Amino acid sequence: MTARLEDVELRVVDGVEGMSGDLGRLFVVVGVFDGLHRGHAYLLEHLRTEADRRRARPSVITFDHHPDEVLVGAAPPLLCDPAERLERLAATGVEVAVIQPFNAEVRRIEYDDFVRMIADRVELAGFLMTPDAAFGHERRGTPETLSELGGRMGFDVVVVAPFEIGGQTVRSSDIRAAIADGDLAAAERLLGRPYAVTGSVTAHGMMTFPMPVALPSSGLYEASISGRPVSAVVASDTTLTLRGAGVPEPGTGVRLEFR
């Protein structure tokens, strides 16, 4: 499978087990990448740079749903539609995206076994990480343990400081908090673009979503669909209803951008 945006092709792979030698030499970052916010963009810029230095393809290993659904029993609401996430990864220059199913079995995989699963299938140039990044069972795959493993297996680990705005690290949780407070200007500042949700229009202008999405607190918000202005009414029960001449027919799939 491939995703394309602005003539950038992204090879999409179904899980680590679907990786193969024809992908080439890969330099990898592991993460959820929900929202593809400014901190992610900064990290992916470093990914491209470090991959180029190693004559490798910039690659992302992410997950089919948020790991917290398995780890703590509930996933936070999405900041970005999964299909849009792939398009935005392509737009940053990522060449390979591995969508790893996350379940109880995957949760128990030790970090070194996970790395060997990758290295057994492709030429692994290394990993990009932030200081607090970790993966594998009980988050034992830290920059320190990965560096030690890389010394034995022959791959690099590059650690970059997280992206900050005003001395604060940009995190998806902070964007969700801003949206929940109705502070869409703060969410836009952290995302680097207006916040948007993707779903379908049903009868009476209501929107439904295939997965839980982050919605602002109850109130009336100005928004747009394909450039056409609409009003978005969020009720106290978190239902969202569209109003205005720009509301499409029921059954239409839309991307609603808050203004």
Side-chain angles (χ1 to χ4, degrees):
M1 175 182 175
T2 60
R4 184 180 291 274
L5 185 68
E6 297 179 357
D7 295 325
V8 177
E9 187 173 282
L10 172 70
R11 175 84 175 269
V12 181
V13 180
D14 185 15
V16 169
E17 292 185 351
M19 299 174 76
S20 58
D22 67 318
L23 292 173
R25 179 174 167 83
L26 306 185
F27 190 76
V28 177
V29 63
V30 180
V32 178
F33 291 97
D34 182 26
L36 265 293
H37 53 62
R38 292 177 66 184
H40 294 143
Y42 160 88
L43 191 63
L44 294 171
E45 182 178 353
H46 279 280
L47 180 72
R48 293 195 311 273
T49 299
E50 297 297 338
D52 287 346
R53 287 175 178 169
R54 292 162 178 81
R55 297 184 178 180
R57 303 179 73 185
S59 306
V60 167
I61 297 178
T62 188
F63 304 99
D64 63 342
H65 58 271
H66 201 291
D68 279 356
E69 186 174 327
V70 174
L71 296 176
V72 300
L78 292 178
L79 295 174
C80 186
D81 177 74
E84 182 178 339
R85 177 178 63 166
L86 291 178
E87 292 178 340
R88 292 191 176 279
L89 284 172
T92 66
V94 172
E95 296 182 19
V96 177
V98 179
I99 312 300
Q100 175 64 44
F102 195 89
N103 51 36
E105 182 180 353
V106 171
R107 174 186 184 176
R108 292 191 293 270
I109 297 176
E110 296 290 347
Y111 76 92
D112 52 345
D113 291 333
F114 189 70
V115 171
R116 290 187 180 94
M117 289 171 62
I118 300 168
D120 285 347
R121 291 166 170 81
V122 299
E123 183 181 356
L124 179 61
F127 289 93
L128 182 74
M129 306 183 77
T130 56
D132 61 349
F135 61 83
H137 183 55
E138 296 184 347
R139 292 176 55 85
R140 293 173 182 161
T142 64
E144 293 76 20
T145 57
L146 262 291
S147 294
E148 181 180 350
L149 182 64
R152 299 198 304 269
M153 293 182 61
F155 63 80
D156 297 332
V157 175
V158 177
V159 181
V160 296
F163 180 76
E164 296 182 348
I165 297 178
Q168 296 293 319
T169 300
V170 176
R171 301 183 187 279
S172 297
S173 57
D174 294 329
I175 299 173
R176 291 190 188 93
I179 293 168
D181 289 341
D183 191 351
L184 297 178
E188 179 175 349
R189 184 172 63 253
L190 298 175
L191 280 167
R193 64 182 186 279
Y195 179 59
V197 294
T198 299
S200 298
V201 179
T202 64
H204 309 295
M206 290 187 64
M207 281 192 71
T208 60
F209 308 98
M211 297 181 181
V213 299
L215 290 176
S217 53
S218 58
L220 176 65
Y221 297 88
E222 295 306 308
S224 64
I225 297 173
S226 300
R228 302 188 305 273
V230 296
S231 295
V233 181
V234 181
S236 57
D237 61 356
T238 68
T239 56
L240 189 156
T241 304
L242 303 176
R243 295 177 180 172
V247 178
E249 294 293 323
T252 306
V254 299
R255 182 179 185 273
L256 177 73
E257 184 174 287
F258 291 92
R259 301 163 64 188

